[in-house]
Amino acid sequence: MGYLIAVIGGDARYIELIRQLQQLDNTTICLIGFDKLDQGYTGLKQMEFSELEPDQLDMVILPVTGTDQDGMINPVFSDQPIHLTKEWVQQLKSTVSIFTGIANDYLTSITSDANRRLVKLFDRDDIAVYNSIPTAEGTIMMVIEHTDFTIHSSNVLVVGYGRVGKTIANKFSALGAKVSVCARKTEDLARITEMGFQAIPFNQLSSNTVDCDILINTIPTRVITKESIQYLPSHGLIIDLASKPGGTDFEYAKQRGIQAILAKSLPSIVAPKTAGRILADVIKQFITSKEETE
């Protein structure tokens, strides 16, 4: 049985994702929002959003950023915005799977109201762990670009010991940095100590930034506050890996003359091919599992 997949918008990661999906048997891929992409590069025919027949689609792949709060998608490879409406979603098959990286209230609402399955890829542990690798490499790249000292022997403070924080701590330690990790959970603090890093309880963050050369935040809430920033040395660098708007008081950092960078979508910047393959592998698993149940 064939599958009809609509890929709507997307960034450089989606070039590899499309390549990977093309390798599947009995699969037809419709590209929407890729009219600036070289036709020969993908070997697929482009379509207008209005040309899609939603009741024929088995899967819809949205950009990793989903839509804005008005349902608009602004494709990287097109100048034509796309409006994803509740009415359009309601026309989709009841068995459809809609993929996105993250979802805001609008996208969650229209898919829930239509009782259509929404898969938030970045909520999956496997994708988050795989993506933490190019995220860490991109962070290393940014630190090298924005400092005049080596990572080796520098004091690196990682805030958060989740899937990204663990990889960040390991990679910087492997480069010879003296790594501290700030976390809330007592079990995380124990594991941080076991891994050979300095463990910092969350309520002691501000008192442990005075010797920090590089502060890396992974928590998507305002945790790098004035209290933490005011003790940073003047050469200190803040890299915020949390999703927009980040977890740093950027305004106060600017007032202090501390360089603070919100690093967005590092996997797509540093390693779009690898990041696209990661997404494709998970989507192919969905197709395989669906085939097995039919």
Side-chain angles (χ1 to χ4, degrees):
M1 184 177 178
Y3 287 88
L4 183 60
I5 302 174
V7 183
I8 303 175
D11 55 25
R13 284 171 280 200
Y14 280 52
I15 297 172
E16 181 62 22
L17 182 149
I18 293 164
R19 277 205 193 101
Q20 294 291 321
L21 295 182
Q22 277 184 282
Q23 298 173 11
L24 297 173
D25 295 330
N26 301 318
T27 298
T28 302
I29 302 171
C30 306
L31 299 185
I32 298 89
F34 290 87
D35 48 88
K36 282 187 174 181
L37 196 63
D38 182 7
Q39 292 274 350
Y41 199 33
T42 61
L44 297 173
K45 181 182 177 182
Q46 321 288 352
M47 293 181 65
E48 297 291 332
F49 183 68
S50 59
E51 295 176 322
L52 282 176
E53 297 180 42
D55 60 344
Q56 299 298 310
L57 298 174
D58 297 292
M59 289 187 175
V60 176
I61 303 175
L62 302 176
V64 293
T65 53
T67 70
D68 67 15
Q69 288 293 357
D70 297 316
M72 299 304 297
I73 297 171
N74 293 298
V76 172
F77 297 107
S78 175
D79 293 327
Q80 302 299 318
I82 297 165
H83 190 202
L84 193 72
T85 65
K86 178 179 178 179
E87 292 72 25
W88 190 86
V89 171
Q90 288 174 330
Q91 295 178 58
L92 293 167
K93 289 181 179 180
S94 61
T95 56
V96 75
S97 293
I98 305 169
F99 294 90
T100 184
I102 57 176
N104 57 17
D105 292 341
Y106 175 87
L107 184 56
T108 301
S109 175
I110 64 171
T111 52
S112 176
D113 290 348
N115 196 26
R116 299 299 188 267
R117 182 184 191 183
L118 179 65
V119 181
K120 292 177 277 189
L121 292 167
F122 286 0
D123 282 355
R124 291 176 56 99
D125 284 338
D126 51 356
I127 283 188
V129 172
Y130 286 132
N131 269 335
S132 72
I133 299 169
T135 297
E137 291 186 5
T139 305
I140 292 167
M141 177 188 73
M142 295 186 74
V143 168
I144 291 171
E145 288 179 349
H146 293 92
T147 56
D148 57 2
F149 51 86
T150 62
I151 292 174
H152 187 278
S153 298
S154 64
N155 292 310
V156 175
L157 174 53
V158 181
V159 180
Y161 200 58
R163 296 163 299 195
V164 174
K166 290 174 183 175
T167 304
I168 293 287
N170 288 335
K171 298 301 183 188
F172 274 85
S173 178
L175 290 172
K178 292 174 281 189
V179 176
S180 302
V181 183
C182 179
R184 284 194 175 94
K185 297 179 181 177
T186 54
E187 56 266 38
D188 285 341
L189 294 170
R191 178 61 68 186
I192 290 163
T193 301
E194 184 273 331
M195 291 298 294
F197 309 132
Q198 180 185 354
I200 299 174
F202 213 82
N203 59 5
Q204 297 178 24
L205 173 60
S206 60
S207 60
N208 281 273
T209 58
V210 64
D211 294 321
C212 177
D213 301 306
I214 303 160
L215 177 59
I216 302 170
N217 176 55
T218 67
I219 299 177
T221 55
R222 181 64 69 86
V223 291
I224 311 302
T225 60
K226 175 180 178 180
E227 289 72 27
S228 301
I229 298 170
Q230 65 182 347
Y231 296 115
L232 278 172
S234 59
H235 68 267
L237 172 67
I238 300 172
I239 302 288
D240 198 320
L241 301 176
S243 54
K244 191 177 180 181
T248 298
D249 188 338
F250 289 98
E251 185 61 34
Y252 181 71
K254 184 177 180 180
Q255 291 175 17
R256 263 222 60 204
I258 299 292
Q259 187 172 199
I261 302 170
L262 179 59
K264 299 182 292 183
S265 301
L266 280 181
S268 68
I269 296 170
V270 176
K273 186 172 184 177
T274 299
R277 189 178 295 120
I278 291 168
L279 297 174
D281 286 346
V282 172
I283 292 173
K284 286 192 287 188
Q285 289 173 23
F286 273 86
I287 294 174
T288 301
S289 62
K290 191 173 182 181
E291 287 176 339
E292 290 174 349
T293 58
E294 291 180 348

